[in-house]
Amino acid sequence: MNSHFQLQWEEKQNCFVLLYPEGMVQLNQSAGEIMNLCDGKNSTLDIAKTLEEKFNIVGLLHDVNEFLDDAMTRNWVIYNV
């Protein structure tokens, strides 16, 4: 995750939010679950597998990749090689 953003759980809003100097982004459940797994160690495949197991769903890799592509364009995450 980009160090300019901080991910945290907001009880009042019952969701994850991304905090940054200019404001806050409220994330839906899927986005929050994915961002919560963006720790610099998990690959997109790891994230998809973790979520598939957690929610008993298969085939999430495409959705995870699509979200992370969007998150990268918004500078929420930075791709590490």
Side-chain angles (χ1 to χ4, degrees), residues 9-15 26:
W9 177 258
E10 282 292 324
E11 281 295 327
K12 289 184 179 183
Q13 296 160 333
N14 196 34
C15 67
Q26 186 174 351

Side-chain angles (χ1 to χ4, degrees), residues 61-73:
L61 183 58
H62 174 76
D63 294 326
V64 169
N65 281 325
E66 192 172 275
F67 171 79
L68 289 174
D69 285 345
D70 184 51
M72 281 189 272
T73 64

Side-chain angles (χ1 to χ4, degrees), residues 2-74:
N2 185 332
S3 63
H4 294 179
F5 293 89
Q6 178 185 345
L7 181 70
Q8 75 180 38
W9 177 258
E10 282 292 324
E11 281 295 327
K12 289 184 179 183
Q13 296 160 333
N14 196 34
C15 67
F16 281 103
V17 296
L18 276 177
L19 302 173
Y20 59 103
E22 296 84 21
M24 174 182 79
V25 177
Q26 186 174 351
L27 301 173
N28 66 28
Q29 181 182 3
S30 300
E33 294 285 347
I34 294 169
M35 290 296 293
N36 196 38
L37 293 169
C38 289
D39 62 1
K41 298 173 188 166
N42 288 318
S43 68
T44 55
L45 185 57
D46 294 334
I47 292 170
K49 285 182 178 181
T50 299
L51 295 176
E52 288 174 348
E53 289 173 10
K54 181 175 183 176
F55 296 105
N56 196 27
I57 300 172
V58 295
L60 292 180
L61 183 58
H62 174 76
D63 294 326
V64 169
N65 281 325
E66 192 172 275
F67 171 79
L68 289 174
D69 285 345
D70 184 51
M72 281 189 272
T73 64
R74 296 171 189 255

